[in-house]
Amino acid sequence: MDGLTVRELNDILNSLTDFISIRDYKEWSKFAFLAATMANLLAGKKGKAYEIEDFIGPPPWEKKKQKTKEEMREELEELKKKLGGDV
């Protein structure tokens, strides 16, 4: 750990957090698969077909797209207009 910058430590922590969330999702997806199967059996043909994501949400590797600098500037300009001045 000696000689690492705060940014490097933060990157390591983020990588570990991502790894753990993916591992946990894969483990819980087994139970979500069973839940979806049971729900589909009980619903029969009349309801919508349940999927794993209906029980545990989307996979963590499908993260939301980060905004570009231009998109952030546009949002800031919109906020300035709404507030009626410079921010």
Side-chain angles (χ1 to χ4, degrees):
M1 296 274 193
D2 286 340
L4 292 177
T5 65
V6 174
R7 182 179 178 100
E8 291 169 334
L9 288 172
N10 188 46
D11 290 343
I12 291 169
L13 180 60
N14 287 337
S15 295
L16 290 172
T17 303
D18 291 345
F19 172 78
I20 290 169
S21 64
I22 290 169
R23 183 197 63 194
D24 290 349
Y25 185 89
K26 287 182 178 181
E27 186 67 29
W28 281 105
S29 68
K30 297 171 189 175
F31 297 105
F33 173 77
L34 291 174
T37 302
M38 294 301 295
N40 287 330
L41 286 173
L42 294 173
K45 293 184 178 184
K46 42 186 160 168
K48 86 167 191 112
Y50 291 97
E51 297 179 9
I52 291 172
E53 288 82 14
D54 294 327
F55 294 92
I56 58 174
W61 52 86
E62 290 181 5
K63 290 184 176 181
K64 291 182 180 178
K65 181 187 111 183
Q66 287 189 334
K67 296 177 184 175
T68 64
K69 288 181 182 180
E70 186 59 35
E71 290 170 331
M72 288 190 271
R73 276 191 202 105
E74 289 172 4
E75 286 183 5
L76 181 60
E77 291 300 320
E78 289 176 29
L79 284 172
K80 285 182 183 179
K81 289 176 186 175
K82 288 180 183 177
L83 295 173
D86 291 331
V87 177

Coordinates of all heavy atoms in Angstrom, one line a residue:
M1 N 0.8 -1.2 0.0 CA 0.0 0.0 0.0 C 0.9 1.3 0.0 O 0.4 2.3 -0.4 CB -0.9 0.0 1.2 CG -1.9 -1.1 1.3 SD -3.3 -0.5 0.3 CE -4.5 -1.7 0.8
D2 N 2.1 1.1 0.4 CA 3.0 2.3 0.4 C 3.2 2.8 -1.0 O 3.4 2.0 -1.9 CB 4.3 2.0 1.1 CG 4.2 1.9 2.6 OD1 3.2 2.4 3.1 OD2 5.1 1.2 3.2
G3 N 3.1 4.0 -1.2 CA 3.4 4.6 -2.5 C 2.2 4.7 -3.4 O 2.3 5.3 -4.5
L4 N 1.1 4.2 -3.0 CA -0.1 4.4 -3.8 C -0.8 5.7 -3.6 O -0.8 6.2 -2.4 CB -1.1 3.3 -3.5 CG -0.7 1.8 -3.9 CD1 -1.8 0.8 -3.4 CD2 -0.5 1.7 -5.4
T5 N -1.3 6.3 -4.6 CA -2.0 7.6 -4.5 C -3.4 7.3 -4.0 O -3.9 6.1 -4.1 CB -2.0 8.3 -5.8 OG1 -2.8 7.6 -6.8 CG2 -0.6 8.6 -6.3
V6 N -4.1 8.3 -3.6 CA -5.5 8.2 -3.2 C -6.4 7.7 -4.4 O -7.2 6.8 -4.2 CB -6.1 9.5 -2.7 CG1 -7.6 9.4 -2.4 CG2 -5.3 10.0 -1.4
R7 N -6.1 8.2 -5.6 CA -6.8 7.8 -6.8 C -6.6 6.3 -7.0 O -7.5 5.5 -7.4 CB -6.4 8.6 -8.0 CG -7.2 8.2 -9.2 CD -6.7 9.1 -10.4 NE -7.5 8.7 -11.6 CZ -8.5 9.3 -12.1 NH1 -9.0 10.4 -11.5 NH2 -9.1 8.9 -13.1
E8 N -5.4 5.8 -6.9 CA -5.1 4.4 -7.1 C -5.8 3.5 -6.1 O -6.4 2.4 -6.4 CB -3.6 4.1 -7.1 CG -2.8 4.7 -8.2 CD -1.3 4.7 -8.1 OE1 -0.8 4.7 -6.9 OE2 -0.6 4.6 -9.1
L9 N -5.8 3.9 -4.8 CA -6.5 3.2 -3.8 C -8.0 3.2 -4.1 O -8.7 2.2 -3.9 CB -6.3 3.8 -2.4 CG -4.9 3.6 -1.8 CD1 -4.7 4.4 -0.6 CD2 -4.7 2.1 -1.5
N10 N -8.6 4.3 -4.5 CA -10.0 4.4 -4.9 C -10.3 3.5 -6.0 O -11.3 2.8 -6.0 CB -10.3 5.9 -5.2 CG -11.8 6.0 -5.4 OD1 -12.6 5.6 -4.6 ND2 -12.2 6.7 -6.5
D11 N -9.4 3.4 -7.1 CA -9.6 2.5 -8.2 C -9.7 1.1 -7.7 O -10.5 0.3 -8.2 CB -8.6 2.7 -9.3 CG -8.7 4.1 -10.0 OD1 -9.8 4.7 -9.9 OD2 -7.8 4.5 -10.6
I12 N -8.8 0.7 -6.8 CA -8.7 -0.7 -6.3 C -10.0 -1.0 -5.6 O -10.6 -2.0 -5.7 CB -7.5 -0.9 -5.4 CG1 -6.2 -0.8 -6.2 CG2 -7.6 -2.2 -4.6 CD1 -4.9 -0.8 -5.4
L13 N -10.5 0.0 -4.7 CA -11.7 -0.2 -4.0 C -12.9 -0.4 -4.9 O -13.7 -1.3 -4.7 CB -11.9 0.9 -3.0 CG -13.1 0.9 -2.2 CD1 -13.1 -0.4 -1.3 CD2 -13.3 2.1 -1.3
N14 N -13.0 0.4 -6.0 CA -14.0 0.3 -6.9 C -14.0 -1.0 -7.7 O -15.1 -1.6 -7.9 CB -14.0 1.5 -7.9 CG -14.4 2.8 -7.3 OD1 -15.1 2.8 -6.3 ND2 -13.9 3.9 -7.9
S15 N -12.8 -1.5 -8.0 CA -12.7 -2.8 -8.7 C -13.2 -3.9 -7.8 O -13.9 -4.8 -8.2 CB -11.3 -3.0 -9.1 OG -10.9 -2.1 -10.0
L16 N -12.8 -3.9 -6.5 CA -13.3 -4.9 -5.6 C -14.8 -4.8 -5.3 O -15.4 -5.9 -5.3 CB -12.5 -4.7 -4.2 CG -11.1 -5.1 -4.2 CD1 -10.4 -4.7 -2.9 CD2 -10.9 -6.6 -4.5
T17 N -15.3 -3.6 -5.3 CA -16.7 -3.5 -5.1 C -17.5 -4.0 -6.3 O -18.5 -4.7 -6.2 CB -17.1 -2.0 -4.9 OG1 -16.4 -1.5 -3.8 CG2 -18.6 -1.8 -4.7
D18 N -17.0 -3.7 -7.5 CA -17.6 -4.3 -8.7 C -17.5 -5.8 -8.7 O -18.5 -6.5 -9.1 CB -16.9 -3.7 -10.0 CG -17.2 -2.2 -10.2 OD1 -18.1 -1.7 -9.6 OD2 -16.4 -1.6 -11.0
F19 N -16.4 -6.4 -8.4 CA -16.2 -7.8 -8.3 C -17.2 -8.4 -7.4 O -17.9 -9.4 -7.7 CB -14.8 -8.2 -7.9 CG -14.6 -9.6 -7.7 CD1 -14.5 -10.5 -8.7 CD2 -14.6 -10.2 -6.4 CE1 -14.3 -11.9 -8.5 CE2 -14.4 -11.5 -6.2 CZ -14.3 -12.4 -7.3
I20 N -17.4 -7.9 -6.2 CA -18.3 -8.4 -5.2 C -19.7 -8.3 -5.7 O -20.5 -9.3 -5.5 CB -18.1 -7.7 -3.8 CG1 -16.8 -8.1 -3.3 CG2 -19.2 -8.0 -2.9 CD1 -16.3 -7.3 -2.1
S21 N -20.1 -7.2 -6.3 CA -21.5 -7.1 -6.7 C -21.8 -8.0 -7.9 O -22.9 -8.6 -7.9 CB -21.8 -5.6 -7.2 OG -21.1 -5.2 -8.3
I22 N -20.9 -8.3 -8.8 CA -21.1 -9.3 -9.8 C -21.2 -10.7 -9.3 O -22.1 -11.5 -9.6 CB -20.0 -9.2 -10.9 CG1 -20.1 -7.9 -11.7 CG2 -20.0 -10.4 -11.8 CD1 -18.9 -7.5 -12.5
R23 N -20.3 -11.0 -8.3 CA -20.3 -12.3 -7.7 C -21.7 -12.5 -7.0 O -22.3 -13.6 -7.1 CB -19.2 -12.4 -6.7 CG -19.1 -13.8 -6.0 CD -18.3 -13.8 -4.8 NE -18.9 -12.9 -3.8 CZ -18.3 -12.5 -2.7 NH1 -17.1 -12.8 -2.5 NH2 -19.0 -11.7 -1.9
D24 N -22.1 -11.5 -6.2 CA -23.4 -11.7 -5.5 C -24.5 -11.8 -6.5 O -25.5 -12.6 -6.2 CB -23.6 -10.5 -4.6 CG -22.6 -10.5 -3.4 OD1 -22.0 -11.5 -3.2 OD2 -22.6 -9.4 -2.7
Y25 N -24.5 -11.0 -7.5 CA -25.6 -11.1 -8.5 C -25.7 -12.5 -9.1 O -26.8 -13.1 -9.2 CB -25.4 -10.1 -9.6 CG -26.6 -10.0 -10.6 CD1 -27.7 -9.2 -10.3 CD2 -26.6 -10.8 -11.7 CE1 -28.7 -9.2 -11.2 CE2 -27.7 -10.8 -12.6 CZ -28.7 -9.9 -12.3 OH -29.8 -9.9 -13.2
K26 N -24.5 -13.1 -9.5 CA -24.5 -14.4 -10.1 C -25.1 -15.5 -9.1 O -25.8 -16.4 -9.4 CB -23.1 -14.8 -10.5 CG -22.7 -14.0 -11.8 CD -21.4 -14.5 -12.3 CE -21.0 -13.8 -13.5 NZ -19.7 -14.2 -14.0
E27 N -24.7 -15.3 -7.8 CA -25.2 -16.2 -6.8 C -26.7 -16.1 -6.6 O -27.5 -17.1 -6.6 CB -24.5 -16.0 -5.4 CG -24.8 -16.9 -4.4 CD -24.3 -18.4 -4.7 OE1 -23.3 -18.5 -5.3 OE2 -25.0 -19.3 -4.2
W28 N -27.2 -14.8 -6.5 CA -28.6 -14.6 -6.3 C -29.4 -14.9 -7.5 O -30.6 -15.2 -7.5 CB -28.9 -13.2 -5.8 CG -28.6 -13.0 -4.4 CD1 -27.6 -12.4 -3.8 CD2 -29.4 -13.5 -3.3 NE1 -27.7 -12.5 -2.4 CE2 -28.8 -13.1 -2.1 CE3 -30.6 -14.2 -3.2 CZ2 -29.3 -13.5 -0.8 CZ3 -31.1 -14.5 -2.0 CH2 -30.5 -14.2 -0.8
S29 N -28.8 -14.9 -8.7 CA -29.6 -15.2 -9.9 C -30.0 -16.7 -9.9 O -31.1 -17.0 -10.6 CB -28.7 -14.9 -11.2 OG -27.6 -15.8 -11.3
K30 N -29.4 -17.5 -9.2 CA -29.8 -18.9 -9.1 C -31.2 -19.0 -8.4 O -32.1 -19.7 -8.9 CB -28.8 -19.8 -8.4 CG -27.5 -19.9 -9.0 CD -26.4 -20.5 -8.2 CE -25.0 -20.4 -8.8 NZ -24.0 -20.9 -7.9
F31 N -31.3 -18.2 -7.4 CA -32.6 -18.2 -6.6 C -33.7 -17.5 -7.4 O -34.8 -17.8 -7.4 CB -32.4 -17.6 -5.3 CG -31.5 -18.3 -4.4 CD1 -30.2 -17.9 -4.1 CD2 -31.9 -19.5 -3.8 CE1 -29.3 -18.6 -3.3 CE2 -31.0 -20.3 -3.0 CZ -29.7 -19.8 -2.8
A32 N -33.3 -16.4 -8.1 CA -34.2 -15.6 -8.9 C -34.7 -16.5 -10.1 O -35.9 -16.4 -10.5 CB -33.5 -14.4 -9.5
F33 N -33.9 -17.4 -10.6 CA -34.3 -18.3 -11.7 C -35.4 -19.2 -11.2 O -36.4 -19.4 -11.8 CB -33.1 -19.1 -12.2 CG -33.5 -20.2 -13.2 CD1 -33.8 -19.9 -14.5 CD2 -33.5 -21.5 -12.8 CE1 -34.1 -20.8 -15.4 CE2 -33.9 -22.5 -13.7 CZ -34.2 -22.2 -15.0
L34 N -35.2 -19.8 -10.0 CA -36.2 -20.6 -9.4 C -37.5 -19.9 -9.1 O -38.6 -20.4 -9.4 CB -35.7 -21.2 -8.1 CG -34.5 -22.3 -8.2 CD1 -34.0 -22.7 -6.8 CD2 -35.0 -23.5 -9.0
A35 N -37.3 -18.6 -8.6 CA -38.5 -17.8 -8.3 C -39.3 -17.5 -9.6 O -40.5 -17.6 -9.7 CB -38.1 -16.5 -7.6
A36 N -38.6 -17.2 -10.7 CA -39.2 -16.9 -12.0 C -39.9 -18.2 -12.5 O -41.0 -18.1 -13.0 CB -38.2 -16.4 -13.0
T37 N -39.2 -19.3 -12.4 CA -39.8 -20.6 -12.9 C -41.1 -20.9 -12.1 O -42.1 -21.2 -12.7 CB -38.8 -21.7 -12.7 OG1 -37.6 -21.4 -13.4 CG2 -39.4 -23.0 -13.2
M38 N -41.1 -20.7 -10.8 CA -42.3 -21.0 -10.0 C -43.4 -20.0 -10.3 O -44.5 -20.4 -10.4 CB -41.9 -20.9 -8.5 CG -41.0 -22.0 -8.0 SD -41.6 -23.7 -8.3 CE -43.0 -23.7 -7.2
A39 N -43.1 -18.8 -10.4 CA -44.1 -17.8 -10.7 C -44.7 -18.0 -12.1 O -45.9 -17.9 -12.3 CB -43.5 -16.4 -10.7
N40 N -43.9 -18.4 -13.1 CA -44.4 -18.8 -14.4 C -45.3 -20.0 -14.4 O -46.3 -20.1 -15.1 CB -43.3 -18.9 -15.4 CG -42.6 -17.6 -15.8 OD1 -43.3 -16.6 -15.7 ND2 -41.3 -17.6 -16.1
L41 N -44.9 -21.0 -13.6 CA -45.8 -22.2 -13.4 C -47.1 -21.8 -12.8 O -48.2 -22.3 -13.2 CB -45.1 -23.2 -12.6 CG -43.9 -24.0 -13.3 CD1 -43.2 -24.9 -12.3 CD2 -44.4 -24.8 -14.5
L42 N -47.1 -21.0 -11.8 CA -48.3 -20.6 -11.1 C -49.2 -19.7 -11.9 O -50.4 -19.8 -11.8 CB -48.0 -20.0 -9.7 CG -47.3 -20.9 -8.7 CD1 -46.9 -20.1 -7.5 CD2 -48.3 -22.1 -8.3
A43 N -48.6 -18.9 -12.7 CA -49.3 -17.9 -13.5 C -50.0 -18.6 -14.7 O -51.0 -18.2 -15.2 CB -48.5 -16.8 -14.0
G44 N -49.4 -19.7 -15.1 CA -50.0 -20.4 -16.3 C -49.7 -19.6 -17.6 O -48.8 -18.9 -17.7
K45 N -50.7 -19.7 -18.5 CA -50.6 -19.0 -19.8 C -51.2 -17.6 -19.7 O -51.0 -16.8 -20.7 CB -51.2 -19.8 -20.9 CG -50.5 -21.1 -21.2 CD -51.1 -21.8 -22.3 CE -50.3 -23.1 -22.6 NZ -50.9 -23.8 -23.8
K46 N -51.9 -17.2 -18.7 CA -52.6 -15.9 -18.7 C -51.7 -14.7 -18.3 O -52.0 -13.6 -18.7 CB -53.8 -16.0 -17.7 CG -53.6 -16.7 -16.4 CD -54.9 -16.8 -15.7 CE -54.7 -17.9 -14.7 NZ -55.7 -18.0 -13.7
G47 N -50.7 -14.9 -17.5 CA -49.9 -13.7 -17.1 C -48.7 -13.5 -18.0 O -48.4 -14.3 -18.9
K48 N -47.9 -12.5 -17.6 CA -46.7 -12.2 -18.3 C -45.6 -13.2 -17.9 O -45.7 -13.7 -16.7 CB -46.2 -10.8 -18.1 CG -45.3 -10.6 -16.9 CD -44.7 -9.2 -16.9 CE -43.6 -9.2 -15.8 NZ -42.3 -9.1 -16.3
A49 N -44.7 -13.5 -18.7 CA -43.6 -14.4 -18.4 C -42.6 -13.7 -17.5 O -42.1 -12.7 -17.9 CB -43.0 -15.0 -19.6
Y50 N -42.3 -14.2 -16.3 CA -41.4 -13.6 -15.4 C -40.0 -14.0 -15.8 O -39.7 -15.0 -16.3 CB -41.6 -14.0 -14.0 CG -42.9 -13.4 -13.4 CD1 -44.1 -14.2 -13.4 CD2 -42.9 -12.2 -12.9 CE1 -45.2 -13.7 -12.9 CE2 -44.1 -11.6 -12.4 CZ -45.3 -12.4 -12.4 OH -46.4 -11.9 -11.9
E51 N -39.1 -13.0 -15.6 CA -37.6 -13.3 -15.9 C -36.8 -13.0 -14.6 O -37.3 -12.4 -13.6 CB -37.2 -12.3 -17.0 CG -37.9 -12.6 -18.3 CD -37.4 -11.7 -19.4 OE1 -36.5 -10.9 -19.2 OE2 -38.1 -11.7 -20.5
I52 N -35.6 -13.4 -14.6 CA -34.7 -13.2 -13.5 C -34.7 -11.8 -13.0 O -34.8 -11.5 -11.8 CB -33.3 -13.8 -13.8 CG1 -33.3 -15.3 -13.9 CG2 -32.3 -13.4 -12.7 CD1 -32.0 -15.9 -14.5
E53 N -34.6 -10.9 -14.0 CA -34.5 -9.4 -13.6 C -35.7 -8.9 -12.9 O -35.6 -7.9 -12.2 CB -34.2 -8.6 -14.9 CG -32.8 -8.8 -15.5 CD -32.7 -10.1 -16.4 OE1 -33.7 -10.7 -16.7 OE2 -31.6 -10.5 -16.6
D54 N -36.8 -9.6 -13.1 CA -38.0 -9.1 -12.3 C -37.9 -9.3 -10.8 O -38.6 -8.7 -10.1 CB -39.2 -9.9 -12.8 CG -39.6 -9.6 -14.3 OD1 -39.4 -8.5 -14.7 OD2 -40.1 -10.5 -15.0
F55 N -37.0 -10.2 -10.4 CA -36.8 -10.5 -9.0 C -35.5 -9.8 -8.4 O -35.5 -9.5 -7.2 CB -36.8 -12.0 -8.8 CG -38.1 -12.6 -9.1 CD1 -38.3 -13.1 -10.4 CD2 -39.1 -12.7 -8.2 CE1 -39.6 -13.7 -10.7 CE2 -40.3 -13.3 -8.4 CZ -40.5 -13.8 -9.7
I56 N -34.5 -9.7 -9.2 CA -33.3 -9.1 -8.6 C -32.7 -7.9 -9.4 O -31.7 -7.4 -9.1 CB -32.1 -10.1 -8.5 CG1 -31.8 -10.8 -9.8 CG2 -32.5 -11.2 -7.5 CD1 -30.6 -11.7 -9.8
G57 N -33.5 -7.4 -10.4 CA -33.0 -6.2 -11.1 C -32.0 -6.5 -12.2 O -31.6 -7.7 -12.4
P58 N -31.6 -5.5 -12.9 CA -30.6 -5.7 -14.0 C -29.2 -6.1 -13.4 O -28.9 -5.7 -12.3 CB -30.6 -4.4 -14.7 CG -31.0 -3.4 -13.7 CD -32.0 -4.1 -12.8
P59 N -28.5 -6.8 -14.2 CA -27.1 -7.1 -13.8 C -26.2 -5.9 -13.5 O -26.4 -4.8 -14.2 CB -26.5 -7.9 -15.0 CG -27.7 -8.2 -15.8 CD -28.8 -7.3 -15.6
P60 N -25.3 -6.0 -12.6 CA -24.5 -4.8 -12.3 C -23.6 -4.4 -13.4 O -23.1 -3.2 -13.4 CB -23.7 -5.2 -11.0 CG -23.8 -6.7 -11.0 CD -25.0 -7.1 -11.7
W61 N -23.3 -5.3 -14.3 CA -22.4 -4.9 -15.4 C -23.1 -4.1 -16.5 O -22.5 -3.5 -17.4 CB -21.7 -6.1 -16.0 CG -22.6 -7.2 -16.5 CD1 -23.3 -7.3 -17.6 CD2 -23.0 -8.3 -15.7 NE1 -24.1 -8.4 -17.7 CE2 -23.9 -9.1 -16.5 CE3 -22.7 -8.8 -14.4 CZ2 -24.5 -10.2 -16.0 CZ3 -23.3 -10.0 -14.0 CH2 -24.2 -10.7 -14.8
E62 N -24.4 -3.9 -16.3 CA -25.1 -3.1 -17.2 C -25.3 -1.7 -16.5 O -26.4 -1.2 -16.3 CB -26.5 -3.7 -17.6 CG -26.4 -4.9 -18.5 CD -27.7 -5.5 -18.9 OE1 -28.7 -4.9 -18.5 OE2 -27.7 -6.5 -19.5
K63 N -24.2 -1.1 -16.2 CA -24.3 0.2 -15.5 C -24.8 1.3 -16.4 O -24.7 1.2 -17.6 CB -22.9 0.6 -15.0 CG -22.4 -0.3 -13.9 CD -21.1 0.3 -13.4 CE -20.6 -0.5 -12.2 NZ -19.3 -0.1 -11.7
K64 N -25.4 2.3 -15.7 CA -25.9 3.4 -16.5 C -24.7 4.1 -17.2 O -23.6 4.2 -16.6 CB -26.6 4.4 -15.6 CG -27.9 3.9 -15.1 CD -28.5 4.9 -14.2 CE -29.8 4.4 -13.7 NZ -30.5 5.4 -12.8
K65 N -24.9 4.6 -18.4 CA -23.9 5.3 -19.1 C -23.6 6.6 -18.4 O -24.5 7.4 -18.0 CB -24.5 5.6 -20.5 CG -23.5 6.3 -21.4 CD -24.2 6.7 -22.7 CE -24.3 8.2 -22.7 NZ -25.0 8.8 -23.8
Q66 N -22.3 6.9 -18.2 CA -21.9 8.2 -17.6 C -22.1 9.3 -18.6 O -21.9 9.1 -19.8 CB -20.5 8.1 -17.2 CG -20.3 7.2 -16.0 CD -18.9 7.4 -15.4 OE1 -17.9 7.7 -16.2 NE2 -18.7 7.1 -14.1
K67 N -22.5 10.4 -18.1 CA -22.7 11.6 -18.9 C -21.4 12.2 -19.4 O -20.4 12.2 -18.7 CB -23.5 12.7 -18.1 CG -24.9 12.2 -17.7 CD -25.5 13.2 -16.9 CE -26.9 12.7 -16.4 NZ -27.5 13.6 -15.5
T68 N -21.5 12.7 -20.6 CA -20.3 13.3 -21.2 C -20.2 14.8 -20.6 O -21.2 15.3 -20.1 CB -20.4 13.4 -22.7 OG1 -21.5 14.2 -23.1 CG2 -20.5 12.0 -23.4
K69 N -19.1 15.4 -20.8 CA -19.0 16.8 -20.4 C -20.0 17.7 -21.0 O -20.5 18.6 -20.4 CB -17.5 17.3 -20.6 CG -16.5 16.7 -19.7 CD -15.1 17.2 -20.0 CE -14.1 16.5 -19.1 NZ -12.7 17.0 -19.4
E70 N -20.2 17.5 -22.3 CA -21.2 18.3 -23.0 C -22.6 18.1 -22.5 O -23.3 19.1 -22.3 CB -21.2 17.9 -24.5 CG -22.0 18.8 -25.4 CD -21.6 20.3 -25.3 OE1 -20.4 20.6 -25.2 OE2 -22.6 21.1 -25.4
E71 N -23.0 16.9 -22.1 CA -24.3 16.7 -21.5 C -24.4 17.4 -20.2 O -25.5 17.9 -19.8 CB -24.6 15.2 -21.4 CG -24.8 14.4 -22.7 CD -24.8 12.9 -22.6 OE1 -24.2 12.4 -21.6 OE2 -25.5 12.3 -23.4
M72 N -23.3 17.3 -19.4 CA -23.3 18.0 -18.1 C -23.4 19.5 -18.3 O -24.1 20.2 -17.5 CB -22.1 17.6 -17.3 CG -22.1 16.2 -16.8 SD -20.8 15.8 -15.6 CE -19.6 15.2 -16.7
R73 N -22.7 20.1 -19.3 CA -22.8 21.5 -19.5 C -24.2 21.9 -19.9 O -24.7 22.9 -19.5 CB -21.8 21.9 -20.7 CG -20.4 22.1 -20.2 CD -19.6 22.8 -21.3 NE -18.2 22.5 -21.1 CZ -17.5 21.6 -21.7 NH1 -18.0 20.9 -22.7 NH2 -16.2 21.4 -21.4
E74 N -24.9 21.1 -20.8 CA -26.2 21.4 -21.2 C -27.2 21.4 -20.0 O -28.0 22.3 -19.9 CB -26.7 20.4 -22.2 CG -26.0 20.5 -23.6 CD -26.4 19.4 -24.5 OE1 -27.2 18.5 -24.2 OE2 -25.8 19.4 -25.7
E75 N -27.0 20.4 -19.1 CA -27.8 20.4 -17.9 C -27.6 21.6 -17.0 O -28.6 22.1 -16.4 CB -27.6 19.1 -17.1 CG -28.2 17.9 -17.7 CD -28.0 16.6 -16.9 OE1 -27.4 16.7 -15.7 OE2 -28.3 15.5 -17.3
L76 N -26.4 22.0 -16.9 CA -26.0 23.2 -16.1 C -26.7 24.4 -16.7 O -27.2 25.3 -16.0 CB -24.5 23.4 -16.0 CG -24.0 24.5 -15.2 CD1 -24.5 24.4 -13.7 CD2 -22.5 24.6 -15.2
E77 N -26.6 24.6 -18.0 CA -27.3 25.7 -18.7 C -28.8 25.7 -18.4 O -29.4 26.8 -18.2 CB -27.0 25.7 -20.2 CG -25.5 26.0 -20.5 CD -25.0 27.3 -20.0 OE1 -25.8 28.3 -20.1 OE2 -23.9 27.4 -19.5
E78 N -29.4 24.5 -18.5 CA -30.8 24.4 -18.2 C -31.2 24.9 -16.8 O -32.1 25.6 -16.5 CB -31.3 23.0 -18.5 CG -31.4 22.6 -19.9 CD -31.8 21.2 -20.1 OE1 -32.5 20.6 -19.3 OE2 -31.4 20.6 -21.1
L79 N -30.3 24.4 -15.8 CA -30.5 24.8 -14.5 C -30.4 26.3 -14.3 O -31.1 27.0 -13.5 CB -29.6 24.1 -13.5 CG -29.9 22.6 -13.3 CD1 -28.7 21.9 -12.5 CD2 -31.2 22.5 -12.5
K80 N -29.4 26.9 -15.0 CA -29.2 28.3 -14.9 C -30.4 29.1 -15.4 O -30.8 30.1 -14.7 CB -28.0 28.8 -15.7 CG -26.6 28.4 -15.1 CD -25.5 29.0 -16.1 CE -24.1 28.6 -15.6 NZ -23.1 29.1 -16.5
K81 N -31.0 28.6 -16.5 CA -32.2 29.3 -17.0 C -33.3 29.1 -16.0 O -34.1 30.1 -15.8 CB -32.6 28.6 -18.3 CG -31.6 29.0 -19.5 CD -32.0 28.3 -20.7 CE -31.0 28.5 -21.8 NZ -31.3 27.7 -23.0
K82 N -33.5 28.0 -15.4 CA -34.6 27.8 -14.5 C -34.4 28.6 -13.2 O -35.4 29.1 -12.7 CB -34.7 26.3 -14.1 CG -35.2 25.4 -15.1 CD -35.3 24.0 -14.7 CE -35.7 23.1 -15.8 NZ -35.8 21.7 -15.4
L83 N -33.2 28.8 -12.8 CA -32.9 29.6 -11.6 C -32.8 31.1 -11.9 O -32.9 31.9 -11.0 CB -31.6 29.1 -10.9 CG -31.6 27.7 -10.3 CD1 -30.3 27.3 -9.9 CD2 -32.7 27.6 -9.2
G84 N -32.7 31.4 -13.2 CA -32.7 32.8 -13.6 C -31.5 33.6 -13.3 O -31.5 34.7 -12.9
G85 N -30.3 33.0 -13.5 CA -29.1 33.7 -13.3 C -27.9 32.8 -13.5 O -28.0 31.7 -14.0
D86 N -26.7 33.3 -13.1 CA -25.5 32.5 -13.1 C -25.3 31.7 -11.9 O -25.7 32.1 -10.8 CB -24.3 33.5 -13.2 CG -24.3 34.2 -14.6 OD1 -24.8 33.6 -15.6 OD2 -23.7 35.3 -14.7
V87 N -24.8 30.5 -12.1 CA -24.5 29.6 -11.0 C -23.0 29.4 -10.8 O -22.3 29.3 -11.8 CB -25.2 28.3 -11.1 CG1 -24.9 27.3 -10.0 CG2 -26.7 28.5 -11.3

